[in-house]
Amino acid sequence: MTGRRHTWALPITLGGVWTAAVLVLVGAGWPRYWTYVAAEDTPMTWLQSVVLVLTAAGWAVAAYVHRLRDGRYAVPWLLLAVGFLGLGLDERFALHERIRDRILAPADIRIPFLPWVGPGDFLILGVGIIGLALAPQVWRGLARDRQARRLFVVGVGLAVLAVGMDSVDPARMGLDAERLEQTLEECIELGSGLAFLGAAVAWLSTGLRALVDAAPQEGLRAAALEPAQSAEATSLSA
């Protein structure tokens, strides 16, 4: 029973953070529920950027723990760290939106075989495709931790849904529908980021535990005896 509670502690915590954030931000602007969620420069985008940067830091530490344990850096973890750092900066400073609005959209650059994608709205779609291409390597690397795998799958699923929603041209919707769609998209993005953060935390927990278990018992005993030996030497010298 204790093991089950421990297994569910992290997902429940992440779900609680997501629920609290959505309720607070939606409720703060009610009945204009989209006010603090849907636009690019809102508390929701700030929160998402924080989660993404923390996720990048988590995977960077995971890569270092992997090096301590196996003697080499885990390349997928390093790629995840760089990728999430880039996403966090993009979320905070609206980088792809600026490129879209200032360069791509005025030139009416679009993907001909994706008619529902607006001009310049394919940048995040491309990032999503790159992420999916890397997903099998990450999946294999998470083989030692089932919880990390489950959270990673949730993160990928929510990210695919959010990217799909982001690719739809807002010009095809009415104003009310656009506000609702963008609000839901931002909430889903937050959930995806939290799931990826949870996967990093779960893997780190397992990796650090394995690292401690693999420490030489002689070294641990020596470290434990050192204070006693020092005290004995001090008493003899006295």
Side-chain angles (χ1 to χ4, degrees):
M1 184 66 69
T2 303
R4 284 186 180 179
R5 288 177 182 174
H6 177 73
T7 300
W8 285 102
L10 181 58
I12 289 174
T13 300
L14 294 172
V17 170
W18 180 85
T19 301
V22 170
L23 289 178
V24 168
L25 294 178
V26 169
W30 195 266
R32 296 168 58 88
Y33 61 87
W34 64 87
T35 304
Y36 300 113
V37 179
E40 294 303 330
D41 189 14
T42 62
M44 174 61 86
T45 55
W46 173 85
L47 180 59
Q48 289 175 359
S49 67
V50 170
V51 170
L52 291 169
V53 170
L54 287 176
T55 304
W59 287 115
V61 175
Y64 183 67
V65 170
H66 189 280
R67 180 182 181 278
L68 292 176
R69 192 177 66 181
D70 295 349
R72 57 188 176 84
Y73 283 105
V75 175
W77 296 175
L78 292 175
L79 292 176
L80 282 173
V82 173
F84 279 108
L85 178 60
L87 289 173
L89 293 174
D90 176 73
E91 194 67 43
R92 180 63 183 88
F93 299 107
L95 300 179
H96 86 272
E97 287 87 357
R98 295 175 190 273
I99 295 173
R100 177 196 63 196
D101 296 339
R102 297 181 182 182
I103 300 174
L104 301 176
D108 197 31
I109 299 175
R110 60 176 71 228
I111 301 178
F113 55 86
L114 298 178
W116 69 87
V117 179
D121 266 337
F122 51 80
L123 294 176
I124 291 298
L125 193 61
V127 172
I129 292 173
I130 294 173
L132 286 176
L134 294 173
Q137 296 183 41
V138 178
W139 178 258
R140 288 192 294 270
L142 295 175
R144 300 179 184 180
D145 194 298
R146 290 183 179 180
Q147 186 175 70
R149 274 190 162 186
R150 286 193 291 265
L151 288 167
F152 181 74
V153 169
V154 172
V156 169
L158 292 176
V160 169
L161 180 58
V163 169
M165 295 174 69
D166 183 74
S167 68
V168 178
D169 189 356
R172 294 172 170 266
M173 311 176 196
L175 182 58
D176 290 339
E178 179 184 353
R179 286 169 173 168
L180 177 60
E181 190 268 350
Q182 290 183 346
T183 299
L184 292 175
E185 177 194 331
E186 297 298 331
C187 293
I188 292 170
E189 283 185 19
L190 176 62
S192 176
L194 287 170
F196 284 124
L197 175 59
V201 170
W203 193 93
L204 265 176
S205 177
T206 301
L208 289 171
R209 189 161 51 246
L211 194 63
V212 170
D213 292 342
Q217 294 301 316
E218 294 81 4
L220 293 176
R221 283 198 295 269
L225 291 173
E226 185 177 351
Q229 292 173 346
S230 299
E232 183 179 353
T234 302
S235 63
L236 289 174
S237 63

